[in-house]
Amino acid sequence: MSKKKKEKVNHLVGIYDDDEKLLHAVEVIRQRGIKIADVFTPFPIHGLEHALGYKDSRLPDVAFIFGTLGTITALAIQIGTYTIDWQVNVGGKSSLPLPSFIPVTFELTVLFAALGMVGTYLIANKIGPGVQPEVVDPRQTDDKFVVIVKAKDEAYNQKVKQAYNDTGAETVREQILTDTEEE
Amino acid sequence: MYDSPLRQLLVTGNKSYAQVTEDICRPIHSKPSKEWLGAFLLSASILGIGGIGILNTLVNGIGAWGLNKTVGWAFDITNFVFWIGIGHAGTLISAILLLFRQKWRTGVNRAAEAMTIFAVLCAALFPGLHMGRPWLAYWIFPLPNYHGPLWVNFNSPLLWDVFAISTYFTVSLVFWYTGLIPDFATVRDRIKGKFAKSVYTALSFGWVGSAKNWQRFEAVSLILAGLSTPLVLSVHTIVSFDFATSVIPGWHTTIFPPYFVAGAIFSGFGMVLTLMIITRKVLNLEDYITIGHIEAMCKVLIATGMMVGIAYTTEFFIAWYSGSIYERYAFINRAFGPYWWAYWIMFSCNVFSPQVFWIRKLRRNPWFVFVISIFVNIGMWFERFVIIVTSLHRDYLVSSWRMYTPSITEWAIMIGVFGLFFTLFLLFTRFFPVVAIAEVKSIMKTSSDTYRKDAQVEIFHGTPAGVPAYRSPDSNLQ
């Protein structure tokens, strides 16, 4: 991730009023060789990530790794304190009571997996306390579906606007927005 | 895409996406009603009574309670288990029903999860106070110390409980908040007023709803649901270990884990119904929390109510069949001893009262359901009281048999915690989106009468037989 502040550049914005229209529009726009910078929707739309060609999220793998870390931590704490550091002889019972370790191990596995995954999720999505949002249109969290494309030369811009209009966009406009393109 | 004509309608009133936002955000935008203010002041005052009880306990110690040498656990642990049980429905609705793709959860999951979090907070208060010296509560964690170091006992179910409940609270909170972020963003983008906007901007974490965000959101929701499902089952299992691993007749039974989990779901749904029937009416959310939702929850009540019924009966049978005279005595004493009235309140509220829901008309009548849900709450409170107090009050030595009478302080704490719960819930209904806005919008295409004019509405909506299915007025009749 680059540390330098992202520049603001001109974008072409197409606003749709229905999720199925948007899904169709995304497919058409990409077929015409236009690179979509981002899509904003008020709720998750099934199939949108495939239409945009996104790879599957790796967050489940993150959860698994953190969960494993939790399992190891739990066993290390329990064996470290109860078996190695200070054994307590209670009626000759084992100082390595593995069945008794199951509940705490399970709980810490779940705790680590959940917190680790959600932490990664916040970082990956670049959201968190104090983050100022750049809202393209305030209705994008209500009932509008917004597509943005980074503007280039005039001919390209016309092509994009044409694609928006062909797919039934309600509003087409230009707007200065932060450049999200990765170099 | 194939759409079953029998698919249930979960959102009614012919709503557009914008109307969904408008309806759910309305309480946040408008001034509090007189009823809300009245209810809030009442709850806060009741909470104040609890505060006095807690203060008295902290200053004078556990001696302020009605416990004695024989009955060492009573109101404190009864209330603890009661509230933990209440806290099970939220995660059950949002996690298990998500895994089972039960779309009706979208109408009620937000409020149920809020209820879970508040209930677990209320529950956590009791073991804290019951320690006697809550300022040393950090001793329950395995922290390095200057006593050897002496570590906590990992063989003890009481310690497992510490981990189970703190994990459950944390994960439920994270699950709830992850779902709230997009909805806070919705409120942020429409609310007027500089201060309110800055508060909701902070709460929404800068969410903008890009496609990538939503893709990760869905992945996180699914995995959190997968993690929460065994978690929610483990929590009450471990709570039941507090009793089951002891050698007290009446507690020492292997049936406890499933029996406690079923009871927790039962009591949790009882409380969800109590709260939702009022909330949907007061906040005008009847189009999102429909009669169909209430009916679905009533069905859960019948199922889990019968599970606890089977557990009560099995316990009794095994007490006789085991041949253990102490076990047999504990159960006969439970049903016919000095606390017989508590046992029969428990039995009739939990096993008999939900049976009325076999009748369709009754489970689709919100006010009738409300009354039964109160019975369920009472019954489940008594279940914990019966298990704890009747098993303890007559121990092995007849000379130490005692009765238990709660002190005024204990009553004050018990009532005050209800005040805490309702205060938190009222604040939630005022400042938070009570229904998951984004989730409801995502099921609109398949489950709302706006888009499913052809659906046979009667399946979920109750048109009497023989009457043509309801069609919304502006639908095109072919």
Side-chain angles (χ1 to χ4, degrees):
Chain A
M1 233 190 288
S2 64
K3 283 272 183 272
K4 80 167 189 245
K5 209 167 160 76
K6 293 276 174 83
E7 297 172 56
K8 296 231 173 196
V9 294
N10 199 20
H11 279 77
L12 304 162
V13 178
I15 300 178
Y16 297 81
D17 62 355
D18 185 79
D19 42 338
E20 278 158 27
K21 262 187 216 165
L22 171 90
L23 210 53
H24 174 67
V26 165
E27 278 163 9
V28 171
I29 293 168
R30 288 189 76 228
Q31 272 164 15
R32 296 190 186 178
I34 299 164
K35 195 181 167 205
I36 293 174
D38 217 335
V39 176
F40 301 102
T41 63
F43 57 85
I45 296 168
H46 270 286
L48 182 60
E49 67 272 22
H50 299 299
L52 284 163
Y54 290 163
K55 286 190 205 116
D56 282 349
S57 169
R58 281 169 302 169
L59 282 165
D61 306 347
V62 173
F64 178 79
I65 293 165
F66 275 102
T68 314
L69 189 69
T71 312
I72 295 167
T73 311
L75 286 173
I77 291 174
Q78 292 173 100
I79 296 170
T81 58
Y82 209 68
T83 312
I84 298 168
D85 188 57
W86 192 280
Q87 292 190 4
V88 180
N89 187 340
V90 183
K93 284 181 187 166
S94 166
S95 58
L96 184 60
L98 286 176
S100 294
F101 289 172
I102 291 172
V104 172
T105 311
F106 171 76
E107 299 298 336
L108 286 189
T109 305
V110 170
L111 183 68
F112 274 56
L115 290 183
M117 176 179 62
V118 172
T120 315
Y121 162 77
L122 293 179
I123 294 166
N125 272 352
K126 299 191 184 70
I127 57 174
V131 174
Q132 288 301 316
E134 187 186 56
V135 182
V136 180
D137 189 297
R139 296 168 302 168
Q140 76 188 38
T141 54
D142 181 4
D143 63 340
K144 300 297 174 199
F145 304 81
V146 178
V147 180
I148 60 169
V149 173
K150 193 178 170 185
K152 285 181 192 163
D153 54 275
E154 197 49 42
Y156 180 78
N157 293 357
Q158 277 311 319
K159 188 177 150 194
V160 175
K161 285 180 183 172
Q162 187 62 43
Y164 282 156
N165 287 323
D166 288 352
T167 51
E170 187 189 69
T171 312
V172 177
R173 65 168 185 243
E174 297 188 15
Q175 202 173 337
I176 308 290
L177 296 165
T178 307
D179 186 4
T180 51
E181 213 162 86
E182 302 286 330
E183 293 311 321
Chain B
M1 204 202 318
Y2 171 73
D3 271 328
S4 162
L6 298 181
R7 195 176 297 234
Q8 303 161 333
L9 281 187
L10 301 173
V11 183
T12 58
N14 222 11
K15 305 285 183 194
S16 68
Y17 290 135
Q19 275 172 297
V20 174
T21 319
E22 180 59 37
D23 285 350
I24 298 171
C25 293
R26 193 177 298 119
I28 304 172
H29 297 306
S30 44
K31 288 218 153 59
S33 64
K34 278 200 185 96
E35 291 83 11
W36 185 89
L37 273 176
F40 181 76
L41 287 176
L42 183 69
S43 310
S45 325
I46 294 172
L47 170 60
I49 298 172
I52 298 169
I54 290 171
L55 191 69
N56 189 29
T57 306
L58 291 179
V59 173
N60 293 319
I62 300 297
W65 294 357
L67 301 176
N68 51 50
K69 186 199 146 291
T70 313
V71 184
W73 281 1
F75 260 35
D76 47 356
I77 304 300
T78 301
N79 283 314
F80 161 68
V81 182
F82 173 74
W83 284 111
I84 283 286
I86 299 286
H88 271 57
T91 312
L92 187 101
I93 288 175
S94 49
I96 299 183
L97 298 186
L98 187 137
L99 294 183
F100 284 123
R101 305 264 185 246
Q102 291 290 308
K103 287 183 178 165
W104 63 267
R105 78 172 201 290
T106 52
V108 289
N109 65 353
R110 170 68 45 74
E113 282 174 55
M115 185 197 79
T116 288
I117 287 156
F118 305 148
V120 176
L121 267 179
C122 292
L125 206 63
F126 288 99
L129 287 174
H130 135 111
M131 285 174 188
R133 288 185 288 172
W135 48 92
L136 298 178
Y138 65 92
W139 283 10
I140 60 179
F141 293 106
L143 298 170
N145 55 64
Y146 295 102
H147 310 287
L150 270 178
W151 299 104
V152 289
N153 181 4
F154 285 103
N155 269 323
S156 165
L158 299 178
L159 181 73
W160 305 342
D161 236 4
V162 171
F163 282 87
I165 286 159
S166 45
T167 300
Y168 185 57
F169 179 73
T170 314
V171 174
S172 301
L173 187 67
V174 164
F175 199 0
W176 185 56
Y177 203 82
T178 311
L180 268 168
I181 291 172
D183 288 356
F184 278 142
T186 304
V187 178
R188 171 197 73 203
D189 290 344
R190 53 185 285 119
I191 204 160
K192 313 258 179 323
K194 227 175 167 184
F195 177 71
K197 204 170 188 84
S198 67
V199 170
Y200 285 103
T201 304
L203 288 172
S204 66
F205 281 13
W207 176 271
V208 285
S210 79
K212 196 75 202 166
N213 288 0
W214 280 121
Q215 189 199 4
R216 295 195 182 106
F217 177 88
E218 295 236 291
V220 162
S221 304
L222 189 64
I223 300 293
L224 277 180
L227 288 169
S228 304
T229 301
L231 180 66
V232 68
L233 300 180
S234 84
V235 174
H236 231 62
T237 299
I238 293 176
V239 169
S240 81
F241 286 165
D242 291 347
F243 303 99
T245 60
S246 72
V247 284
I248 307 289
W251 288 5
H252 188 61
T253 49
T254 46
I255 200 178
F256 261 28
Y259 158 28
F260 268 51
V261 170
I265 295 166
F266 181 63
S267 70
F269 272 88
M271 190 59 107
V272 172
L273 279 169
T274 308
L275 292 175
M276 296 322 288
I277 288 171
I278 296 184
T279 308
R280 71 194 276 274
K281 189 83 198 161
V282 174
L283 301 183
N284 296 317
L285 293 171
E286 281 119 322
D287 288 327
Y288 304 94
I289 305 162
T290 62
I291 295 285
H293 288 85
I294 292 175
E295 186 178 13
M297 290 192 273
C298 288
K299 288 177 183 167
V300 177
L301 279 191
I302 305 182
T304 48
M306 289 201 297
M307 280 187 223
V308 291
I310 289 169
Y312 298 156
T313 327
T314 311
E315 269 190 327
F316 230 107
F317 169 75
I318 294 295
W320 165 75
Y321 186 67
S322 69
S324 161
I325 53 167
Y326 300 104
E327 190 78 13
R328 192 188 312 169
Y329 180 75
F331 279 88
I332 291 172
N333 180 46
R334 207 176 257 189
F336 306 108
Y339 287 107
W340 64 270
W341 47 275
Y343 184 83
W344 291 106
I345 290 175
M346 164 194 100
F347 208 97
S348 38
C349 286
N350 293 346
V351 187
F352 299 140
S353 82
Q355 298 306 320
V356 296
F357 291 144
W358 288 106
I359 302 162
R360 187 158 184 270
K361 224 175 198 156
L362 294 179
R363 63 175 189 257
R364 298 179 73 95
N365 178 343
W367 298 110
F368 183 80
V369 175
F370 180 78
V371 172
I372 299 294
S373 78
I374 299 283
F375 281 140
V376 170
N377 291 325
I378 295 172
M380 284 311 291
W381 190 89
F382 271 101
E383 181 197 295
R384 281 65 181 252
F385 181 82
V386 164
I387 290 172
I388 293 167
V389 175
T390 65
S391 305
L392 287 175
H393 85 119
R394 290 192 168 172
D395 68 3
Y396 294 100
L397 279 174
V398 180
S399 60
S400 59
W401 286 9
R402 290 290 179 278
M403 290 296 283
Y404 162 73
T405 318
S407 72
I408 292 175
T409 307
E410 280 174 296
W411 280 112
I413 297 174
M414 175 175 153
I415 293 164
V417 168
F418 277 93
L420 172 65
F421 179 74
F422 287 113
T423 305
L424 291 170
F425 195 80
L426 283 165
L427 287 172
F428 161 76
T429 58
R430 174 93 190 85
F431 297 109
F432 284 40
V434 173
V435 175
I437 304 173
E439 285 196 49
V440 165
K441 284 179 193 164
S442 73
I443 62 158
M444 291 277 285
K445 280 277 158 74
T446 53
S447 312
S448 76
D449 56 2
T450 323
Y451 297 97
R452 297 298 315 279
K453 298 195 195 302
D454 57 320
Q456 286 186 5
V457 187
E458 77 211 75
I459 296 302
F460 215 55
H461 262 270
T463 315
V467 176
Y470 166 80
R471 279 175 186 271
S472 82
D474 54 343
S475 70
N476 286 321
L477 291 160
Q478 270 103 29

